[in-house]
Structures are given as C-alpha cells and as structure tokens.
C-alpha cells in the first residue's frame, strides 16, 4: 500500500513535471498591467517557467511596430510612473528576475526576451510558447489583426518560429497591478482570464506529441474573452468556441469628419469585405459574433502568417496581369 501510494505520487509528479514549459509572456498595455500580472502568477501556479517581458508604457495600437530604446535611461516614467523617469531603459522587478520591462513595442519586447533575457540571464533555455495578453480590450477581425499590439507581438513570435497565442479581454480598464491585483478574488476579470489562459495553454501542451511543437510552424491562435466577473456577474467561466477571423459583425477602425468643428473622430465600422471567406473553414462563426452576440463564450481562431492568397485566387489574379510576365 505504501509502495502503491508513492508510485502513484511519483506518476503524478512526473506528469506534472513533463507539462512544465518555458513561456514568454508579453502584452501591449505594459508590464505593470493587472491582467498580465494575474496571468503570470496563474501560469506559474500551473507549474510553468514564465518570463514576463513587456513594454514599459502602454503601447496599444502599435501593431507589429518594432521600436528599440534610443537612450540607456527612460526619458519619461513608465506607465503609472513604474518605474520613474531616469530608470534604466530595461530592467526587472527587484524581487523577481522573471519579470522584465523594455522601452519598446510589444513586437520588440518579444525580441528583447528572446535575444537578451533568455540568452544573457537564463542560459539560453528553449522557449516552448509565447503568450501575449490578456489585452485590456478585444481584438477581433482582420481589421484589428495588424493594428493590435497584442497580436503584433504574437505574429512577430510566430514568424520567428515560436508557437504563439494572443489573448484579449473585454475589461478595458488600464489598471496598475499594485492597486488592482487580487488573485484570491474569483470575480476579478484578471483572475478569470488568467485561469482561462492556463486552461487553453495546458490543453495545447497535453495534446502535443512528446518532441513536437505546441502549434505547427507559421501558425498562431487569436483568443477573445467576453465580459466576465465584475463586468458581467452572470459570466464567470466563458467556454471556448472555435471561430474564424472574418465573418458576421466583423468591424474595423474608421474615421468620421465633423464639418461643424472641422475635425475627425474615431469610429468602429463594419465593412462587407470583412465577411469574406477565402481561406479556412467558412462554416465557423466569426469572433465578433461569438464574443458580442452569444452568451458568455470565448472565441478561438487559428491564423497563419502565410498571407499569400490561396491557389485559386492566386491563379485568377495572375491571369489578370499575365501580359506583364511575358
Ligand atoms: C540561443 O539558442 C538559439 C536556438 O534556440 C540559437 O539560435 C541562438 O544562437 C542561441 N543564442 C546564444 C547567445 O547562444
Ligand atoms: C479601474 O482600476 C482602478 C484601479 O487601478 C480602480 O480603482 C477602478 O475602480 C477601475 N475602474 C473600473 C471601471 O473598473
Ligand atoms: C490569498 O489567499 C492566500 C491563501 O488563503 C493568502 O495566503 C494570501 O495572503 C491571500 N492574498 C491576498 C492578496 O489576499
Ligand atoms: C460636431 O462638432 C460640433 C461642434 O463641436 C458638436 O457640437 C457636434 O456634437 C459634433 N458632432 C458629432 C457627430 O460629433
Ligand atoms: C452577460 O452575460 C450573459 C450570459 O451569461 C449575457 O446574456 C449578457 O448579454 C451579458 N451582458 C453583457 C452586458 O455583456
């Protein structure tokens, strides 16, 4: 009995250990955001070795822009003045060398993790997955794909050869973890999102072959959570639904002109080409439909960084411009 119990304990231990993965975690809201800190601790609690590397200030909407520090010290303080102006342009938490800020964009923060933090500080261990988010605000449809810094960090990781997932939430409050982080508060959106991130990440690793990657080369996931917890008390565990990027209600950035004030303002608009289906499974619902028009569900879309048009479209367009190839 004693032997049996310890064998079972050993088996459980080896199962838990084999799932421990090396994960880079980034975002576009900044290293001090409550969402990213909650997810950091949730992934750690699940047994993973997590490296948080994120911009020192809010960099929403920067897409894949690739900024590099132009000065060794910060000319302005970080988000929430954390850290203050005059601090080094990159650094880690005094009490946790796995948590880093970088005076760059989300995409360059991923590169900072891979080219500096991992090789210089952690013996160049191999990274199994890059997670971006959970963003403060949703990132649905191809219109947001190139615009979003959360997704920009993700496709940057994918083209470097890393499996990567973008997570975005509906809680758009840009809060400081020192004010708002409470992992014991099961109604806090950051806590709920952190648990959901672990659920998806662990499902991916569990189904992965022993020596294979978590996702195929050139492929990533885009995940959008609905309002949960304090933002919608009836939704505390939004189930995952498989979606596609284009489709019903897909919308993107637009501007409107106000002739009275001779100025422009931002508007989110629907454009019919955002409902086109040229690739993938056309029977899937759109991200916008699932997050905004169903009850308490999370959208998961699979994307490819092979942006080339499919074979039929390629041949059709090649025919249109055939004379230039003669
Ligand atoms: C770190 O490992 C990667 C492969 O995972 C390799 O391409 C790179 O050259 C290594 N960097 C250093 C500084 O050893
Ligand atoms: C936003 O976060 C701050 C803490 O940083 C909190 O005081 C405030 O109530 C939050 N606002 C909303 C609408 O959740
Ligand atoms: C959360 O709960 C744990 C265990 O009950 C406790 O040790 C910890 O202090 C709590 N943290 C907060 C922020 O309340
Ligand atoms: C246009 O600008 C005027 C003058 O500032 C303002 O009163 C009006 O509300 C604006 N209209 C819209 C649609 O924003
Ligand atoms: C809150 O979630 C419920 C389903 O759990 C849904 O019916 C409702 O529309 C949601 N409300 C908001 C404001 O998102």
């Amino acid at each position: 009995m004693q032997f049996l119990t310890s064998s079972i304990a050993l088996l459980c231990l080896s199962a838990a250990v084999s799932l421990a993965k090396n994960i880079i975690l980034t975002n576009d809201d900044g290293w001090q955001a409550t969402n990213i800190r909650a997810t950091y601790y949730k992934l750690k609690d699940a047994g993973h070795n997590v490296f948080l590397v994120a911009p020192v200030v809010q960099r929403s909407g920067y897409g894949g822009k690739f900024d590099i520090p132009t000065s060794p010290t910060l000319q302005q303080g970080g988000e929430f003045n954390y850290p203050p102006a005059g601090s080094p342009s990159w650094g880690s938490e005094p009490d946790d060398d796995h948590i880093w800020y970088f005076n760059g964009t989300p995409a360059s923060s991923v590169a900072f993790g891979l080219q500096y933090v991992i090789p210089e500080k952690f013996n160049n261990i191999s990274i199994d997955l890059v997670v971006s988010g959970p963003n403060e605000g949703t990132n649905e449809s191809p219109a947001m794909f190139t615009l979003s810094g959360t997704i920009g960090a993700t496709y940057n990781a994918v083209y470097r050869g890393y499996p990567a997932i973008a997570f975005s939430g509906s809680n758009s409050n840009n809060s400081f973890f020192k004010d708002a982080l409470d992992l014991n508060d099961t109604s806090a959106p950051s806590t709920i999102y952190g648990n959901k991130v672990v659920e998806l990440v662990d499902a991916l690793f569990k189904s992965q072959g022993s020596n294979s990657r978590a996702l195929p080369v050139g492929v990533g996931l885009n995940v959008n959570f609905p309002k949960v917890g304090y933002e919608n008390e009836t939704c505390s565990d939004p189930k995952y639904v498989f979606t596609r990027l284009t489709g019903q209600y897909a919308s993107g950035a637009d501007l409107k002109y106000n002739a009275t004030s001779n100025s422009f303002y931002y508007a989110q608009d629907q454009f019919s080409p955002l409902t086109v289906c040229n690739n993938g499974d056309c029977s899937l619902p759109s991200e916008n439909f699932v997050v905004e028009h169903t009850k308490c569900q999370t959208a998961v879309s699979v994307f490819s960084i092979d942006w080339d048009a499919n074979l039929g479209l390629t041949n059709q367009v090649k025919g249109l411009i055939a004379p230039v190839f003669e």
Side-chain angles (χ1 to χ4, degrees), residues 7-298:
S7 303
I8 290 168
L10 261 177
L11 270 175
C12 293
L13 192 65
S14 63
V17 166
S18 69
L19 195 59
K21 299 290 182 178
N22 300 323
I23 298 174
I24 281 185
L25 175 63
T26 190
N27 74 354
D28 70 13
D29 300 307
W31 77 314
Q32 78 307 308
T34 306
N35 275 0
I36 195 172
R37 295 291 176 126
T39 292
Y40 172 80
Y41 291 112
K42 290 294 177 182
L43 284 168
K44 265 188 72 165
D45 284 353
H48 301 298
N49 187 19
V50 191
F51 305 92
L52 189 164
V53 283
V56 74
V57 291
Q58 173 64 257
R59 292 297 196 113
S60 287
Y62 278 73
K65 193 166 189 296
F66 204 89
D67 284 357
I68 291 172
T70 53
S71 152
T73 53
L74 297 174
Q75 306 302 298
Q76 294 176 337
E79 199 73 22
F80 298 100
N81 203 34
Y82 189 76
S87 302
S89 287
W90 57 91
S92 60
E93 283 285 7
D95 60 354
D96 190 339
D97 67 358
H98 278 54
I99 300 183
W100 288 78
Y101 68 85
F102 182 65
N103 190 19
T105 44
S108 67
S109 294
V110 171
F112 164 75
L114 292 167
Q115 302 285 54
Y116 175 79
V117 177
I118 299 301
E120 299 292 331
K121 309 288 180 186
F122 293 95
N123 202 26
N124 206 25
I125 59 160
S126 66
I127 294 299
D128 299 300
L129 180 71
V130 174
V131 170
S132 183
N135 186 54
E136 297 165 346
T138 55
N139 285 304
E140 304 151 332
S141 100
M144 304 314 283
F145 190 92
T146 49
L147 192 150
S148 158
T150 307
I151 305 179
T154 309
Y155 59 69
N156 185 279
V158 171
Y159 76 59
R160 286 167 173 273
Y162 295 89
I165 312 176
F167 289 93
S168 301
S170 300
N171 66 332
S172 50
N173 189 19
N174 181 21
S175 65
F176 186 29
F177 79 96
K178 293 200 178 193
D179 299 331
L181 182 67
D182 184 354
L183 295 167
N184 293 351
D185 184 347
T186 53
S187 291
S190 56
T191 305
I192 296 172
Y193 292 156
N195 287 329
K196 295 300 290 184
V197 169
V198 170
E199 184 185 332
L200 186 69
V201 164
D202 280 357
L204 205 54
F205 284 136
K206 273 177 192 149
S207 62
Q208 170 196 14
S210 51
N211 281 317
S212 66
R213 305 160 46 89
L215 286 167
V217 175
V219 166
L221 297 177
N222 188 42
V223 176
N224 278 280
F225 296 118
K227 289 186 191 300
V228 296
Y230 292 125
E231 296 203 316
N232 188 344
E233 299 277 3
T234 70
C235 184
S236 59
D237 186 15
K239 72 167 184 148
Y240 281 109
V241 176
F242 206 45
T243 52
R244 54 178 292 112
L245 285 157
T246 65
Q248 197 179 13
Y249 304 116
S251 62
D254 198 9
L255 60 78
K256 296 277 162 63
Y257 176 62
N258 184 335
T260 316
S261 60
N262 188 33
S263 63
F264 298 95
Y265 59 97
Y266 180 90
Q268 188 85 9
D269 267 349
Q270 290 181 21
F271 299 98
S272 63
L274 289 174
T275 65
V276 77
C277 183
N278 288 325
N279 296 303
D281 181 352
C282 299
S283 72
L284 293 174
S286 71
E287 301 175 323
N288 292 77
F289 174 77
V290 163
V291 175
E292 294 155 18
H293 298 275
T294 70
K295 292 185 193 307
C296 195
Q297 300 196 107
T298 302

